[in-house]
Amino acid sequence: MVVKPVTRRRLWTSILFCLLVLLAVAVTAPLVGSTRIDYTAALTEDSIDREILFRARIPRVLLSLMAGGVLSVCGVLFQALLRDALATPYTLGVSSGASLGAVTVICFGLELFAGFPSIWVGALIGAFLALLLVLVVASEGRRMSSFTLLLSGVTINSICLALILFLQTFATFGQSFAIVRWLMGGIESVEYSTLLWLAAVTFPVLAYVFLTGREWNLMAVGEEWAAARGVNVTRLMLTGLISGSILTGVVTALTGPIGFVGLIVPHGLRMRLGADHRLLLPCSFLLGAAFLTVCDTASRTLPTSGEVPVGVLTALLGGPFFIWLLKSRRRSLWL
Amino acid sequence: MSAFSLSNVGMSYGRSEVLSDISIEFSAPGLTAIIGPNGAGKSTLLSVMAGLLTGYRGQCLFNGREVRSWSRKSFTRLVSFVPQRLRLEFPFTAEQVVMMGRSPYCDGLFEAPDDHVEVEKAMMMTDTLEFRSRDFRFLSGGERQRVILAAALAQTTPVLLLDEPTTFLDLRHQVSIYALLRQLASAGRLVITVTHDLNLAAAYADRVIMLRKGRLAAAGPPSEVLSSERIRSVFEVEADVLTGPHGKPWILYGGEARHT
């Protein structure tokens, strides 16, 4: 494979291609579903068709687009931060940290605080603490093996899961029902105002992350490498940590932990585009959005008796992919 | 003019002291070789000077200013650092790795045309153009080492710090890299390199710094520093020091074995 250097032109053509894929998915997805919609009725009069299209399908598609894009970007970010292609919010336990934060908020009945969805704050703090824990474990040696990283992720996952189940025993029946969805992620229809909040929080963070793409290249090589080439490593790591927690936190607060999006999409893109983060970050957002939306559309149209949460589907796809990735990595890269 | 001035520099990792009481000056131009047995503190000294270990004791001034208080951007426009090895997780190409050397000059997201010119030049000097678009991870050890050297050359700094730049290189490339370093030093740059090869140090360096257990054992021109007594006491091997064809010291190891 010959990878050309990244120029503005190559950036824009790649983004344009991914954008076209995204648009195709975004336009088709709301048209697919278990109920047939009469579009003239939906667009012209107050009808049940209109309700389904504008209250159920479109917000759901928008949420899956945002969640998929954000989770992919988080994958790329964590992979660069820890220099490991297997790092994602899910495998590191950051998603479970966010879940735990959200569940804690639900259990103490603080769901709305001063009009702002405080579940988000809980999830954000949970994600931040989990990520901080990973980084503390990671910085023990100069560079840790994937095994250590994944083991610490598994451990954080189990601890958070145990705490969620523990908290559930204190919860009322209604709260208990709300908590179960934090165990496996799924996309549901949400209010447009929630989507606006989500966009308002994530877009500035995403823009910041995209604009530091060149520095993330050096970081993905090594901290010392970056520091010897003019990057303020402490600042970049700190902002990466904060950005990653915000992104994972707010998305997890809305969807619960959805795994493997941040693994499949960035890996596929790296095989095609190379490792340059200036391309990888925006393209991961666009294709991650398309990927999760396709998965979610499949999950709500599958001929099962109940709806399959999309997290189940991505785990079924991503799990085997993860194992394949683990097996196919060159021995020398392990050391 | 670029210059380092170290006084009483020390460094510890936890409780173990790896450097102590290093006081020495370096100024451009010149090629200095740092030698010493394993664990003598050579790489640590280089990392302190490169500003990568900020927890050092004493004073380490670059151009009159403490190394740790420089902004990384302005410091790395003047000083480049070549690590011993580089392991990549991600599929960066050789050219992308070299391009990272231009980072101190980039403010935005993209490199300027000038940056591409410097990268081209650096890759030409290190004989790496032929595999510019190949995945760095799949290059041989020697090819990788030349690529990371190219990244430092692309940084176009008056000072180069190199940590064993020729460890994995074959004879031809060892010689050509040292010839290149010599040429850079003669053109006015300050080049400081860690090496295990005393003969390369003797042949190319105009100054040799010898470290032993974290302390300065000797410093001066190769012909003064590289004596058989000193090599015996510092490296704990028998060595004969002869005079090579150009009047440079020429070291033969294992003298004991040859005499028996």
Side-chain angles (χ1 to χ4, degrees):
Chain A
M1 181 183 69
V2 173
V3 177
K4 295 204 182 67
V6 174
T7 54
R8 274 190 186 76
R9 187 195 159 112
R10 181 149 177 260
L11 175 70
W12 289 117
T13 47
S14 306
I15 287 183
L16 192 68
F17 174 79
C18 297
L19 198 62
L20 288 177
V21 174
L22 174 83
L23 282 177
V25 170
V27 169
T28 334
L31 309 181
V32 183
S34 48
T35 341
R36 188 170 279 280
I37 299 182
D38 180 351
Y39 291 103
T40 40
L43 293 175
T44 51
E45 59 194 87
D46 223 2
S47 60
I48 187 81
D49 299 283
R50 191 186 186 103
E51 280 289 301
I52 292 176
L53 187 63
F54 288 100
R55 291 251 153 247
R57 286 195 192 163
I58 290 180
R60 182 167 172 163
V61 167
L62 287 174
L63 178 59
S64 68
L65 287 171
M66 296 278 290
V70 166
L71 289 175
S72 286
V73 169
C74 284
V76 177
L77 199 61
F78 293 169
Q79 284 149 25
L81 204 59
L82 292 157
R83 289 170 286 288
D84 195 310
L86 301 176
T88 68
Y90 197 69
T91 47
L92 294 179
V94 180
S95 297
S96 339
S99 286
L100 178 61
V103 168
T104 312
V105 170
I106 295 173
C107 268
F108 290 101
L110 308 162
E111 289 183 40
L112 263 177
F113 185 77
F116 190 77
S118 60
I119 289 185
W120 291 22
V121 180
L124 202 150
I125 292 170
F128 183 81
L129 291 178
L131 193 53
L132 203 62
L133 198 61
V134 172
L135 284 174
V136 166
V137 175
S139 65
E140 200 60 37
R142 281 307 289 169
R143 185 196 170 112
M144 77 170 159
S145 72
S146 298
F147 277 125
T148 325
L149 199 67
L150 294 177
L151 277 178
S152 73
V154 168
T155 313
I156 293 172
N157 260 323
S158 331
I159 294 174
C160 291
L161 196 65
L163 286 172
I164 290 174
L165 293 174
F166 181 71
L167 282 174
Q168 203 187 354
T169 57
F170 295 103
T172 62
F173 183 74
Q175 285 173 338
S176 193
F177 188 74
I179 286 170
V180 171
R181 66 174 292 239
W182 296 99
L183 301 178
M184 180 52 77
I187 305 276
E188 283 159 28
S189 306
V190 291
E191 297 290 326
Y192 284 102
S193 61
T194 310
L195 288 170
L196 271 177
W197 266 115
L198 181 62
V201 174
T202 55
F203 283 180
V205 179
L206 286 169
Y208 171 77
V209 172
F210 293 165
L211 289 175
T212 46
R214 198 182 50 73
E215 290 187 306
W216 284 109
N217 282 341
L218 286 105
M219 198 66 179
V221 171
E223 279 166 45
E224 198 174 76
W225 177 264
R229 278 147 201 86
V231 176
N232 185 337
V233 171
T234 318
R235 200 207 65 219
L236 191 65
M237 277 185 79
L238 195 66
T239 53
L241 177 70
I242 293 170
S243 308
S245 315
I246 295 176
L247 294 176
T248 314
V250 294
V251 165
T252 310
L254 286 171
T255 66
I258 297 177
F260 301 107
V261 181
L263 188 78
I264 299 175
V265 177
H267 189 80
L269 276 170
R270 268 192 212 102
M271 292 204 286
R272 191 79 206 96
L273 297 175
D276 198 309
H277 286 73
R278 291 169 287 190
L279 285 180
L280 206 51
L281 286 163
C283 293
S284 285
F285 179 81
L286 297 170
L287 287 192
F291 174 78
L292 189 63
T293 305
V294 169
C295 287
D296 185 53
T297 309
S299 85
R300 65 187 162 84
T301 48
L302 278 178
T304 45
S305 58
E307 201 182 287
V308 187
V310 70
V312 173
L313 208 67
T314 57
L316 286 176
L317 285 173
F321 179 78
F322 184 77
I323 291 171
W324 171 77
L325 208 61
L326 211 57
K327 287 281 289 176
S328 68
R329 291 179 5 144
R330 288 199 329 161
R331 279 250 158 245
S332 66
L333 297 181
W334 273 102
L335 302 170
Chain B
M1 200 179 77
S2 308
F4 278 99
S5 166
L6 285 71
S7 59
N8 299 317
V9 168
M11 179 77 206
S12 308
Y13 295 120
R15 279 208 200 133
S16 67
E17 196 167 19
V18 278
L19 271 190
S20 37
D21 290 330
I22 304 281
S23 298
I24 196 163
E25 312 261 325
F26 299 91
S27 59
L31 173 53
T32 302
I34 301 180
I35 59 172
N38 288 333
K42 306 182 294 294
S43 299
T44 306
L45 177 60
L46 212 61
S47 297
V48 167
M49 289 168 66
L52 300 173
L53 291 174
T54 48
Y56 60 86
R57 298 183 303 273
Q59 212 179 32
C60 180
L61 303 178
F62 175 68
N63 290 356
R65 191 157 150 210
E66 197 69 54
V67 161
R68 63 164 85 84
S69 65
W70 278 81
S71 91
R72 289 313 292 166
K73 203 146 208 161
S74 25
F75 187 77
T76 53
R77 286 180 185 182
L78 300 170
V79 181
S80 56
F81 173 76
V82 179
Q84 203 171 7
R85 65 171 68 90
L86 190 63
R87 270 196 219 104
L88 290 194
E89 167 81 11
F90 303 110
F92 287 107
T93 63
E95 187 172 8
Q96 284 175 326
V97 171
V98 179
M99 188 57 95
M100 292 184 198
R102 298 302 297 168
S103 176
Y105 303 94
C106 296
D107 282 321
L109 207 49
F110 294 97
E111 290 87 10
D114 282 2
D115 298 321
H116 289 272
V117 172
E118 289 299 339
V119 166
E120 195 91 11
K121 263 201 264 177
M123 294 191 85
M124 188 117 72
M125 281 197 270
T126 49
D127 202 9
T128 49
L129 275 173
E130 54 177 312
F131 43 82
R132 65 193 301 170
S133 334
R134 277 179 42 206
D135 188 333
F136 180 86
R137 298 172 302 170
F138 302 123
L139 300 176
S140 75
E143 288 168 337
R144 283 189 226 175
Q145 214 157 18
R146 274 144 59 206
V147 170
I148 53 182
L149 178 61
L153 293 178
Q155 217 170 320
T156 59
T157 52
V159 180
L160 278 103
L161 307 175
L162 308 101
D163 196 355
E164 295 185 39
T166 56
T167 317
F168 301 107
L169 296 186
D170 59 31
L171 215 49
R172 177 170 84 90
H173 284 108
Q174 279 191 19
V175 170
S176 74
I177 292 300
Y178 267 90
L180 176 63
L181 295 181
R182 179 69 259 167
Q183 197 189 321
L184 292 170
S186 304
R189 298 205 214 185
L190 173 60
V191 182
I192 303 173
T193 172
V194 167
T195 181
H196 276 298
D197 191 325
L198 303 190
N199 279 314
L200 276 177
Y204 290 97
D206 27 43
R207 190 177 179 210
V208 174
I209 309 278
M210 200 186 263
L211 293 182
R212 183 188 184 215
K213 293 182 182 157
R215 286 171 187 276
L216 204 59
S223 53
E224 283 175 24
V225 172
L226 298 167
S227 66
S228 43
E229 300 81 61
R230 201 171 269 129
I231 293 172
R232 191 184 308 122
S233 73
V234 171
F235 288 90
E236 294 166 13
V237 290
E238 290 300 324
D240 291 331
V241 180
L242 311 174
T243 305
H246 302 290
K248 304 260 173 73
W250 183 27
I251 299 129
L252 285 174
Y253 306 109
E256 196 85 316
R258 272 184 298 114
H259 293 308
T260 52

